[in-house]
Amino acid sequence: MAIQELLQTTNKELFTRYWEKSLLFSKATVSLGLASQNLDEWPQDLLNKIIKSTPVIITKDSQHIDNDFLLNEEVDGLTPTEKLLIMHEEGYTVYIQSIEKYFDELKQLKLRLEKEIYPLTSQFNIFLSPGGTIGLKPHFDSHDSIIWQLKGAKHWSFWKAHCQSMTDHIPENQETEKNKLIIENEPPLYEHTLQANETLFMPRGVIHGPRSLDYSIHLAIWLKAPLIESIKTVDENLIKNNASYHFF
């Protein structure tokens, strides 16, 4: 059971006790191979393939550099992989979306997980961060997530969650502005350090700020629920706000 392997809890307990309610800290009972190794240990042909076919974001303190920079070889004469590794050595986090496409063990885990969480879907994203760096400043996500620390240690700060009118899996501008106000005016409510092979379930809307303590690799497994776009029920609050909410 994928949920059991990742969070040491049952599917029923996850959705009744923690889903969109509470953080859950646990430990994975499975381990990975190549995906948990430093970026410079990944095969060159694999990195080339990833850069050319998958969204790769290089980020430091939420300042992003995307694939266009990597793929443009006319400016500096460096290959995309050479530029990626140089930026990584200079303290940039490498953030690769849908990494399950390139590792069979993750692909199989995704298939097993989605059988358990249907009608939700999942997406596996990997973050490789040099020690003592911040890839993304405090932010929130519009989907629940399982964080799996594959290597090293990463310290997490958490602020209170805030509600969103969920019309998409992308945060709305008004919610992003609210996020800034909370971070600027309130201290974190809780802090926790994830060590290798420890996991975290995090409900959507929870503001979080990760910082790597040493070389860190973690997976962010997005759990994306269907969105009900137009809810018209006898509930007067829903009608008044004309809001959209998760299926669960």
Side-chain angles (χ1 to χ4, degrees), residues 132-245:
T133 63
I134 295 174
L136 299 176
K137 291 182 178 180
H139 62 284
F140 68 92
D141 298 316
S142 299
H143 43 259
D144 297 63
S145 300
I146 297 173
I147 307 300
W148 182 4
Q149 187 71 29
L150 301 179
K151 184 173 185 175
K154 181 159 283 188
H155 186 78
W156 295 74
S157 300
F158 301 97
W159 289 259
K160 65 182 180 182
H162 54 85
C163 297
Q164 310 149 58
S165 56
M166 290 297 298
T167 58
D168 202 338
H169 286 291
I170 300 174
E172 298 181 353
N173 290 336
Q174 62 185 12
E175 304 298 345
T176 303
E177 291 302 317
K178 187 188 298 183
N179 176 76
K180 294 178 182 178
L181 289 175
I182 293 174
I183 294 169
E184 291 173 357
N185 295 288
E186 301 179 20
L189 292 177
Y190 186 69
E191 301 196 31
H192 184 88
T193 298
L194 285 180
Q195 305 288 345
N197 224 37
E198 291 183 340
T199 56
L200 156 68
F201 171 76
M202 181 168 56
R204 70 181 179 99
V206 174
I207 303 173
H208 53 282
R211 174 173 55 87
S212 61
L213 301 182
D214 45 26
Y215 192 91
S216 165
I217 305 174
H218 84 263
L219 277 177
I221 305 173
W222 294 353
L223 307 177
K224 300 188 290 186
L227 300 173
I228 300 177
E229 290 300 329
S230 298
I231 297 179
K232 302 297 182 183
T233 70
V234 293
D235 189 324
E236 295 180 357
N237 289 328
L238 294 183
I239 296 174
K240 179 180 178 181
N241 296 328
N242 193 29
S244 296
Y245 294 87

Side-chain angles (χ1 to χ4, degrees), residues 66-165:
D66 58 22
N67 280 49
D68 291 339
F69 167 78
L70 296 176
L71 294 172
N72 186 352
E73 299 183 36
E74 297 179 0
V75 176
D76 46 33
L78 297 173
T79 68
T81 298
E82 288 172 338
K83 281 191 278 190
L84 180 70
L85 293 175
I86 289 172
M87 298 298 290
H88 193 48
E89 290 177 0
E90 292 179 354
Y92 282 80
T93 288
V94 174
Y95 167 26
I96 306 171
Q97 296 183 352
S98 300
I99 192 64
E100 72 274 9
K101 296 177 182 178
Y102 304 99
F103 295 93
D104 187 63
E105 54 194 346
L106 292 179
K107 189 181 301 181
Q108 295 303 316
L109 179 60
K110 173 184 170 74
L111 291 174
R112 291 192 290 112
L113 177 62
E114 291 188 347
K115 286 182 180 180
E116 297 176 26
I117 64 175
Y118 179 84
L120 278 72
T121 59
S122 66
Q123 180 176 314
F124 286 55
N125 308 307
I126 197 166
F127 292 78
L128 302 100
S129 304
T133 63
I134 295 174
L136 299 176
K137 291 182 178 180
H139 62 284
F140 68 92
D141 298 316
S142 299
H143 43 259
D144 297 63
S145 300
I146 297 173
I147 307 300
W148 182 4
Q149 187 71 29
L150 301 179
K151 184 173 185 175
K154 181 159 283 188
H155 186 78
W156 295 74
S157 300
F158 301 97
W159 289 259
K160 65 182 180 182
H162 54 85
C163 297
Q164 310 149 58
S165 56

Side-chain angles (χ1 to χ4, degrees), residues 9-28:
T9 189
T10 64
N11 198 357
K12 180 178 179 180
E13 185 176 31
L14 174 65
F15 284 103
T16 57
R17 183 175 179 182
Y18 298 102
W19 181 259
E20 301 196 344
K21 296 184 183 76
S22 175
L23 299 173
L24 168 63
F25 296 96
S26 189
K27 189 170 185 177

Side-chain angles (χ1 to χ4, degrees), residues 19-55:
W19 181 259
E20 301 196 344
K21 296 184 183 76
S22 175
L23 299 173
L24 168 63
F25 296 96
S26 189
K27 189 170 185 177
T29 59
V30 291
S31 58
L32 298 178
L34 180 59
S36 61
Q37 296 181 14
N38 291 21
L39 190 67
D40 59 8
E41 297 174 356
W42 291 22
Q44 295 284 308
D45 58 344
L46 174 61
L47 288 175
N48 287 332
K49 183 178 181 181
I50 289 173
I51 294 170
K52 292 178 180 178
S53 58
T54 302

